[in-house]
C-alpha cells in the first residue's frame, strides 16, 4: 500500500501512521505561481489525499523561469495556471484528488473554499488576499502557512489559530507598495527554499506532529547569505480584530476592490459587480467585428490599439497596456458592456 511512499514512511516523523493521515487530509493552495506549483507538487508526491488549487491568472512566458509544472505550450496557448497545474499533478500521482478553480479570491469565495480543508497554503502575491486567508483561517480554526518571495529574499511563517499570533497581529492593515517580483525580479533558488520551509511545516501539521512546528518567523536572503528567525509570540494582541478575544474578522466583511492595478505589469484587472458566467463564444463573435480575437476553452484575448484585453469565464477582464483604472474601466465598458 505504501510502496511509492516507502522512503517517506521510513522517516520516523511520519511512518505508516503519518502516511495514513496524509492520505485523509485536504489542502487548499491559494495561488498557482512559483510557490503554489512548488508546494502543490511536493504535497501531491507526498500522498496528500486532496489538493484544491485556486488561481486567477494564466501562464505567460515570464513564468517559465521559476514556476514549475508549466511548459512553453502552456504559455503559447495562455492556459489558466490552475488548469495546467492540475493536469501535471494528476500525471504525477493519480491517487490524489486535484480540484482546480480559475477564480479571484473574494471573502465570499474564500469561505466556500475552506469547507472541509485541513490546511491552507499561501502562495499569493498580494496582502489583500493574505488578510482574507488569515481571517478565514481564524474564523474556522484552520492552520495556514504564509510564504513570500521577491528578488533573492524569502520569508515563511506558520500560523495555528488559538496558538500563534495571526498575520493581522504582525501587520497593522494591508501594506501598500513595496518591492514585488514584477518590479524587483526574483531568482528561482529563493522559491525552492521557501517552498521547502512551507512544505516541511505542512507535513508536520498534516501528520499531526504539532510539537515539531517552528514557532518563529524565518527570513533569508540567498544572495547576501543572510538568515534570521524572529520569535513573534509577544506580538500577539488580545484586541486583534482577527484573532483576539472578540474577533470580528474584518477582511471577510470588506468588499474587494472591483478595479485593481496589478503592480509592475502595466495591467488593470476589472471584476463585474456580481458573480456571473460569461458566454465567451458570444463575446468573441461580437468582438471579432472590431478586431482580432483569440480564444480557448477558458478565456479570450482581444486587441484594440495598444491594449490587449483578456476575459475569463467569470467575467474578469485583464486590461494590459495601462495602469490607469479610469482608462481601463472605459475600455471595459466599451468592449465588454
Amino acid at each position: 500500500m505504501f510502496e511509492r511512499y516507502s522512503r517517506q514512511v521510513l522517516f520516523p516523523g511520519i511512518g505508516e501512521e503519518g502516511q495514513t493521515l496524509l492520505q485523509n487530509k485536504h489542502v487548499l493552495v491559494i495561488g498557482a505561481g512559483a510557490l503554489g506549483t512548488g508546494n502543490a507538487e511536493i504535497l501531491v508526491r507526498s500522498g496528500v489525499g486532496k489538493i484544491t488549487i485556486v488561481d486567477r491568472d494564466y501562464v505567460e512566458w515570464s513564468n517559465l523561469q521559476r514556476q514549475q509544472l508549466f511548459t512553453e505550450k502552456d504559455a503559447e496557448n495562455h492556459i489558466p495556471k490552475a488548469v495546467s497545474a492540475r493536469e501535471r499533478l494528476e500525471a504525477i500521482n493519480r491517487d490524489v484528488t486535484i480540484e482546480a478553480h480559475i477564480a479571484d479570491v473574494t471573502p465570499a469565495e474564500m469561505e466556500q473554499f475552506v469547507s472541509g480543508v485541513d490546511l491552507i497554503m499561501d502562495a499569493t502575491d498580494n496582502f489583500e488576499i493574505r488578510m482574507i486567508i488569515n481571517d478565514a483561517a481564524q474564523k474556522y480554526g484552520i492552520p495556514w502557512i504564509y510564504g513570500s518571495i521577491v528578488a533573492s529574499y524569502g520569508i515563511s511563517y506558520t500560523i495555528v489559530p488559538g496558538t500563534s499570533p495571526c498575520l493581522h497581529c504582525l501587520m497593522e492593515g494591508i501594506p501598500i507598495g513595496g518591492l514585488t517580483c514584477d518590479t524587483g525580479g526574483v531568482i528561482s533558488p529563493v522559491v525552492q527554499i521557501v517552498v521547502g520551509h512551507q512544505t516541511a511545516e505542512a507535513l508536520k501539521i498534516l501528520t499531526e506532529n504539532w510539537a515539531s512546528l517552528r514557532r518563529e518567523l524565518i527570513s533569508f536572503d540567498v544572495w547576501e547569505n543572510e538568515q534570521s528567525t524572529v520569535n513573534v509570540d509577544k506580538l500577539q494582541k488580545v484586541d486583534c480584530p482577527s484573532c483576539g478575544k472578540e474577533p470580528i474578522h474584518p477582511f471577510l466583511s470588506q468588499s474587494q476592490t472591483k478595479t485593481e492595478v496589478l503592480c509592475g505589469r502595466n495591467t488593470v484587472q476589472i471584476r463585474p459587480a456580481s458573480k456571473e458566467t460569461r458566454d465567451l463564444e458570444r463575446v468573441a463573435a461580437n468582438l471579432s467585428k472590431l478586431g482580432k480575437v483569440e480564444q480557448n476553452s477558458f478565456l479570450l484575448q482581444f486587441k484594440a490599439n495598444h491594449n490587449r484585453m483578456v476575459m475569463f469565464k467569470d467575467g474578469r477582464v485583464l486590461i494590459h497596456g495601462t495602469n490607469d483604472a479610469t482608462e481601463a474601466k472605459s475600455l471595459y465598458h466599451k468592449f465588454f458592456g
Side-chain angles (χ1 to χ4, degrees):
M1 177 179 179
F2 293 140
E3 182 178 354
R4 74 180 296 160
Y5 309 113
S6 61
R7 302 304 185 269
Q8 188 166 277
V9 169
L10 284 171
F11 175 63
I14 296 180
E16 290 191 4
E17 182 179 352
Q19 192 63 48
T20 300
L21 287 170
L22 285 174
Q23 292 176 325
N24 289 286
K25 294 297 174 70
H26 180 189
V27 177
L28 173 63
V29 180
I30 303 295
L35 294 180
T37 53
N39 277 306
E41 180 172 344
I42 288 179
L43 294 176
V44 164
R45 289 186 183 277
S46 298
V48 173
K50 182 177 180 179
I51 306 288
T52 296
I53 301 172
V54 184
D55 190 277
R56 66 186 182 184
D57 214 343
Y58 56 91
V59 182
E60 296 182 282
W61 286 98
S62 63
N63 301 148
L64 302 181
Q65 164 253 352
R66 68 197 178 282
Q67 298 183 14
Q68 61 194 71
L69 300 181
F70 303 143
T71 67
E72 291 185 350
K73 187 176 180 180
D74 294 326
E76 289 171 352
N77 295 326
H78 304 289
I79 303 300
K81 291 182 178 181
V83 173
S84 179
R86 179 185 62 198
E87 292 177 354
R88 303 296 183 278
L89 293 169
E90 287 176 342
I92 288 170
N93 192 341
R94 62 188 176 186
D95 294 331
V96 176
T97 300
I98 312 292
E99 283 191 2
H101 298 272
I102 308 167
D104 201 15
V105 178
T106 66
E109 288 174 324
M110 188 67 200
E111 295 205 62
Q112 294 176 5
F113 288 138
V114 298
S115 177
V117 164
D118 299 291
L119 174 66
I120 305 170
M121 302 297 286
D122 164 39
T124 65
D125 58 3
N126 73 81
F127 273 91
E128 185 175 22
I129 296 178
R130 286 188 179 114
M131 298 307 271
I132 293 172
I133 293 173
N134 185 69
D135 271 10
Q138 295 301 321
K139 181 176 180 179
Y140 296 103
I142 304 170
W144 73 284
I145 303 174
Y146 162 59
S148 182
I149 54 172
V150 65
S152 57
Y153 179 79
I155 187 170
S156 179
Y157 175 53
T158 303
I159 300 171
V160 180
T163 300
S164 55
C166 77
L167 192 63
H168 202 170
C169 289
L170 273 58
M171 301 176 179
E172 296 294 335
I174 301 174
I176 302 298
L179 203 62
T180 69
C181 293
D182 294 301
T183 57
V186 62
I187 57 174
S188 188
V190 74
V191 176
Q192 305 304 320
I193 297 174
V194 172
V195 166
H197 282 293
Q198 285 187 288
T199 51
E201 292 289 280
L203 290 175
K204 296 173 190 177
I205 290 172
L206 297 172
T207 58
E208 301 179 8
N209 282 282
W210 302 102
S212 298
L213 286 175
R214 183 187 64 245
R215 297 186 60 86
E216 297 88 4
L217 182 150
I218 186 168
S219 64
F220 52 86
D221 189 319
V222 295
W223 202 260
E224 299 299 331
N225 304 308
E226 298 172 349
Q227 178 173 312
S228 65
T229 56
V230 181
N231 188 323
V232 296
D233 285 347
K234 294 182 179 179
L235 297 179
Q236 191 161 15
K237 299 179 175 66
V238 294
D239 59 347
C240 174
S242 294
C243 73
K245 290 185 176 180
E246 298 181 357
I248 59 173
H249 310 116
F251 295 96
L252 292 181
S253 59
Q254 295 175 359
S255 296
Q256 275 194 304
T257 308
K258 299 300 179 184
T259 302
E260 178 184 1
V261 178
L262 304 186
C263 182
R265 294 184 59 183
N266 198 30
T267 299
V268 177
Q269 174 182 264
I270 298 180
R271 286 199 314 274
S274 57
K275 194 173 182 179
E276 58 184 63
T277 300
R278 297 298 294 266
D279 184 342
L280 296 183
E281 292 286 349
R282 183 177 179 182
V283 175
N286 291 332
L287 291 176
S288 64
K289 305 168 187 176
L290 305 173
K292 183 180 179 181
V293 179
E294 295 180 2
Q295 184 182 355
N296 60 32
S297 301
F298 312 102
L299 53 84
L300 66 81
Q301 291 191 83
F302 171 67
K303 292 184 180 180
N305 297 323
H306 66 283
N307 296 107
R308 179 168 61 93
M309 289 162 269
V310 179
M311 170 173 268
F312 296 83
K313 283 186 176 180
D314 63 2
R316 285 184 301 114
V317 176
L318 299 180
I319 311 289
H320 298 286
T322 182
N323 282 325
D324 187 326
T326 301
E327 179 187 3
K329 283 183 179 179
S330 176
L331 290 167
Y332 175 87
H333 290 298
K334 179 178 179 180
F335 295 110
F336 300 101

